Every structure is written in C-alpha cells, then in structure tokens.
Amino acid sequence: MLKGSSRTDLLCIPAIMLGFHPQDSCVVIALKGAAVAMCARVDLRWFAGDAERTLRQLNNALGNVPEARIVLVGFGDPDDASISVAELADALGWDRIADALISQGDRYWVVPATGAPIAFSFDRSALAAQAVFQGIRIDATRAEPLAAPVRALW
C-alpha cells in the first residue's frame, strides 16, 4: 500500500495508477478515505468530442464510490488544462470536487489559479519512491508500453 498526504502526492497518483505519465490529459481521482478508489484519464480536450458519453462513463464509475472525494488533475499546457479541469468540474459539479490541480511537468497550480506556480518533481516525491520500491512500473508515455515487443511464452 502506498501512502501520501500532500498535493504533490496527488500529482503522482495518476502516473502510478495508470502506469504512465499522463500528457495532454485530465485525470479524475476518487478518494475514499485515504485510499484511491478510482483513477480515470480522459483527453485534455474531452469536451470537444463526445462529451455526453465521456461524462456518462465517468459518472457511472464515480457512482460505484458515491461518498468518494473527487480530485481533478489537468496535465499539459496550463491554459488548455485549466479549461479542461473547469469544464469537467462544471459538468460533475464543483460541490463534488475536493481539489483541482493543473500540472505542467515541474510545476503546478491550484484551480482556480490564485498565484504563482508551485515547484514539483515527480522523481523527488516520497510517493514515487514508494512506488519504485514496490516494483510498480511507470512508463514515460502511454505509447511506451504498447511499443514494447511481446515475447510469446510458447
């Protein structure tokens, strides 16, 4: 079991849970107590596609943990990520959102942005260190594990 307690830990959860560092993504994390009950990723511009379908899928997943606190994290260009997170929070209901963050690699902002970005390093976080110690594989991109050759066992 991994244990975290800070916003920087929240920023690490998507990479650990998804197995890759999200890019141009909006991630929904459902926390039940101190545990991650659900983690889902959508494209940063999720609202430009079939938004109703995306929201239906997210609400179905969140319906399995109705008492969970929801955290939204936008990864990518800060302007685009801010729009994505705000649109998703509006659609899900701000009253359900415990925290909303925007990350651009080595810095993050709290939504709504109220000041300068805060420095952040995944590689230096205690939660990432715990994941490595436990042998959790985290790829740089979503495409990386798909590109790896698969050896047949027979």
Side-chain angles (χ1 to χ4, degrees):
M1 176 181 289
L2 302 176
K3 295 185 180 187
S5 61
S6 67
R7 280 193 169 130
T8 56
D9 292 335
L10 286 175
L11 292 168
C12 293
I13 288 172
I16 294 166
M17 296 297 294
L18 299 171
F20 62 90
H21 291 276
Q23 299 170 356
D24 297 324
S25 302
C26 190
V27 176
V28 179
I29 303 167
L31 299 172
K32 190 173 181 182
V36 175
M38 186 212 64
C39 182
R41 179 213 158 270
V42 297
D43 289 337
L44 199 59
R45 296 190 47 79
W46 65 270
F47 51 86
D50 190 349
E52 287 183 26
R53 180 175 181 222
T54 299
L55 289 172
R56 190 169 46 253
Q57 290 175 335
L58 287 173
N59 278 313
N60 285 340
L62 291 167
N64 291 318
V65 285
E67 64 283 347
R69 296 174 295 129
I70 300 171
V71 176
L72 302 178
V73 186
F75 293 90
D77 174 78
D79 293 332
D80 292 341
S82 294
I83 293 168
S84 183
V85 167
E87 289 286 336
L88 193 51
D90 285 345
L92 295 174
W94 278 99
D95 58 316
R96 298 173 67 187
I97 308 302
D99 213 347
L101 307 169
I102 303 299
S103 175
Q104 187 184 32
D106 62 351
R107 57 194 174 149
Y108 75 94
W109 296 260
V110 177
V111 177
T114 56
I118 301 162
F120 166 72
S121 173
F122 179 88
D123 295 333
R124 293 185 181 159
S125 74
L127 195 66
Q130 290 176 55
V132 169
F133 181 76
Q134 291 189 21
I136 297 172
R137 178 182 170 149
I138 304 168
D139 290 309
T141 67
R142 189 170 77 162
E144 197 171 292
L146 300 175
V150 177
R151 266 181 77 175
L153 298 175
W154 58 95

